[in-house]
Amino acid sequence: MDEFRREMRLPTKAEVETIRERGRRREQALKQHLRGGGDALFCAALGGLVALLALFLLDGFPRGAALVFGVLLVVTGGLGFRAGRRFKQDRLRTAEAETEERLGAVEELRFEIERVMTVSSPLGDGEFFFLCALSSGRYVVLSSELWDPAQEFPEAWRTHVTLVLDGRKTIVLLDLEGALVEVERRDVRPPDFEVTEAHRFWEPPADLVLPGIVDEVDARPLDACTSA
């Protein structure tokens, strides 16, 4: 196998199912998130109806205030519910379109590594990078943001790496074969995320499209990064 190969191709049946399952999971989470706003608007409209009902059924009830309050709640809740419904439909259509985009051509990377080091972003946004050293001395750079939230990061790698990315640059497949390659940890790790002298920080070049290759990596302590 060449040191580094990159090609575009159509997704396999298994990759399509993985992408669709993730899409279904994202849409379900979106529905759960959007349901809360719709419930609140429904309760507002219902509260308005209760206030209007009390206006006619209860003696001594402040009719003027109840009428104004009830009408406002019904109108605001009803209009908000309709607007929220349209917003929800738009968000779901966007999510479906995103899944279809992911189902387009996938990108497959194959490379052989000698070592792997993790370094943190100096921006403090929680992003970190896997720096996979090739035999030529160059590095394949993989951002933690390439992983789906449900995926676990590998604690150890192997020399032969096959990586498949969907149309939105999210890892669909990470296949590791060959000799074991331990990860050299230099990133800030949970649970305390405490920065020590052993940690290294690095920011990729602005023109680098991830995943990508760099000729060298100048990973430094955080104070050296921020003062540079």
Side-chain angles (χ1 to χ4, degrees):
M1 185 172 69
D2 296 335
E3 185 184 51
F4 184 85
R5 290 173 47 198
R6 186 177 215 153
E7 65 174 334
M8 302 296 295
R9 61 169 175 78
L10 293 176
T12 64
K13 184 177 180 180
E15 291 163 357
V16 167
E17 181 55 34
T18 297
I19 295 171
R20 289 201 181 278
E21 176 57 32
R22 290 178 180 175
R24 287 190 289 268
R25 189 175 64 243
R26 281 190 293 269
E27 290 174 19
Q28 185 61 34
L30 180 59
K31 289 177 181 178
Q32 293 280 355
H33 173 70
L34 295 175
R35 185 175 299 148
D39 291 345
L41 292 169
F42 175 78
C43 290
L46 183 61
L49 290 175
V50 171
L52 290 176
L53 185 62
L55 174 65
F56 296 100
L57 296 182
L58 300 179
D59 292 333
F61 197 79
R63 294 175 180 268
L67 179 61
V68 174
F69 183 65
V71 170
L72 283 175
L73 282 179
V74 170
V75 173
T76 303
L79 292 176
F81 187 79
R82 290 184 60 186
R85 185 176 181 180
R86 288 195 298 269
F87 175 74
K88 178 180 179 180
Q89 291 172 343
D90 290 342
R91 289 287 301 273
L92 289 175
R93 280 194 292 267
T94 300
E96 292 171 358
E98 178 183 309
T99 298
E100 292 304 313
E101 182 180 351
R102 292 178 184 275
L103 286 168
V106 297
E107 184 178 17
E108 181 176 296
L109 284 71
R110 293 177 178 267
F111 50 94
E112 298 179 3
I113 60 175
E114 295 186 342
R115 54 189 286 254
V116 178
M117 181 174 67
T118 58
V119 293
S120 297
S121 167
L123 302 179
D125 54 5
E127 183 180 15
F128 66 92
F129 306 95
F130 287 98
L131 304 178
C132 305
L134 306 174
S135 59
S136 63
R138 299 188 300 168
Y139 292 86
V140 177
V141 182
L142 304 175
S143 166
S144 57
E145 296 184 353
L146 297 173
W147 270 258
D148 183 83
Q151 285 178 297
E152 294 184 357
F153 300 110
E155 293 296 325
W157 292 61
R158 293 185 179 275
T159 51
H160 302 283
V161 180
T162 300
L163 189 69
V164 178
L165 302 164
D166 65 22
R168 293 290 293 263
K169 295 291 186 181
T170 300
I171 294 176
V172 179
L173 170 70
L174 177 60
D175 185 38
L176 305 173
E177 297 181 350
L180 188 66
V181 179
E182 296 291 343
V183 177
E184 303 170 27
R185 291 290 178 191
R186 297 292 186 274
D187 57 339
V188 181
R189 304 290 292 170
D192 52 11
F193 296 95
E194 181 181 355
V195 177
T196 70
E197 293 182 358
H199 293 125
R200 291 294 179 268
F201 296 80
W202 177 75
E203 188 172 3
D207 59 348
L208 179 66
V209 178
L210 296 176
I213 297 181
V214 295
D215 292 331
E216 59 181 1
V217 173
D218 183 18
R220 295 175 288 175
L222 182 59
D223 55 354
C225 291
T226 54
S227 61

